[in-house]
């Protein structure tokens, strides 16, 4: 098993930083490993704290079309710099200091889509923070589930964000999976949506 000998912080940015880990194996072989993290300083890395606290929140919300009562998923189509194109995702965001991720979910949905969010009860196993891309970052996100209401609006979005609000029925969800760029966590949730009967999307949370 490799051991971490030293950690060097390489950047000092507000939202994301790079760290270099000096590693040593049981046979004495040395290597370096680079980690991206939401931590603002070394002491906040999960390597140091050994606590899996939520850096962000993902919002799985249903919107009922008032005209036909049809269930739709609230998605966003957001420009992402690493691929220089738009990617379909679930609304999500970072947890502010002193804020729990469930409260952050309500705030983030309002900011990104203008919609109000009513969470539904869910066991900890469905909501607790899980790691996102563990090979490159210690970031983890909690998940909230519930219903969205109101009128979609971009008024609260930040100037640096390029986000389109999407209300997708099952036909559109299928098209998105077949034809579009989709974040993997969103893709899994779209598959779940497609394979769940109307009115039963959140039944699994009761098990």
């Amino acid at each position: 098993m490799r051991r971490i000998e030293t950690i060097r912080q390489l950047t000092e940015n507000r939202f994301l930083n790079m760290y270099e880990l000096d590693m040593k194996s049981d046979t004495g072989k040395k290597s370096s490993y680079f980690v991206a993290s939401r931590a603002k300083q070394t002491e906040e890395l999960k390597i140091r704290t050994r606590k899996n606290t939520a850096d962000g929140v993902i919002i799985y919300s249903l919107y009922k079309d008032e005209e036909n009562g049809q269930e739709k998923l609230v998605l966003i189509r957001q420009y992402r710099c690493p691929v220089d194109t738009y990617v379909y995702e679930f609304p999500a965001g970072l947890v502010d200091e002193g804020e729990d991720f469930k409260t952050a979910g309500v705030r983030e949905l309002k900011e990104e889509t203008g919609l109000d969010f009513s969470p539904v009860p869910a066991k900890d196993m469905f909501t607790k923070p899980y790691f996102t891309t563990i090979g490159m970052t210690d970031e983890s996100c909690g998940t909230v589930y519930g219903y969205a209401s109101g009128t979609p609006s971009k008024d609260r979005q930040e100037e640096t964000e390029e986000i389109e609000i999407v209300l997708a029925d099952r036909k559109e969800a299928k098209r998105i999976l077949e034809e579009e760029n989709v974040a993997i966590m969103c893709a899994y949730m779209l598959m779940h949506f497609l394979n769940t009967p109307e009115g039963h999307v959140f039944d699994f949370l009761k098990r």
Side-chain angles (χ1 to χ4, degrees), residues 3 17 24 35-36 57 62 67 73 97 107 109 121 126 143 155 185:
R3 309 288 179 182
N17 285 294
K24 187 176 181 180
V35 175
V57 60
L62 287 178
E67 292 185 5
L73 278 184
E97 188 173 351
R107 173 181 56 76
L109 191 72
F126 297 115
T143 307
D155 291 347
M185 288 176 285

Side-chain angles (χ1 to χ4, degrees), residues 93-160:
L94 296 179
V95 178
D96 288 342
E97 188 173 351
E99 183 181 45
D100 68 81
F101 71 84
K102 295 178 182 179
T103 302
V106 176
R107 173 181 56 76
E108 283 290 346
L109 191 72
K110 189 69 174 180
E111 290 176 0
E112 291 192 349
T113 70
L115 298 172
D116 296 314
F117 183 65
S118 299
V120 298
K123 294 179 180 179
D124 183 62
M125 65 180 287
F126 297 115
T127 63
K128 70 178 184 179
Y130 288 106
F131 295 108
T132 55
T133 312
I134 194 59
M136 62 187 298
T137 177
D138 67 351
E139 180 190 60
S140 62
C141 291
T143 307
V144 291
Y145 309 82
Y147 295 93
S149 61
T151 303
S153 170
K154 300 173 71 171
D155 291 347
R156 294 172 182 255
Q157 292 179 10
E158 297 179 10
E159 288 187 10
T160 55

Side-chain angles (χ1 to χ4, degrees), residues 6 9-10 13 18-19 25 34 42-43 46 64 66 84 104 119 125 134 139 143 145 152 182-183 187-188 191 207:
T6 58
Q9 185 170 347
L10 304 179
N13 295 316
M18 290 295 298
Y19 296 84
S25 70
F34 294 88
T42 303
E43 290 72 21
K46 292 184 173 73
K64 284 202 173 182
E66 293 183 0
D84 189 31
M125 65 180 287
I134 194 59
E139 180 190 60
T143 307
Y145 309 82
V182 186
Y188 288 145
M191 294 174 201
R207 295 172 186 166

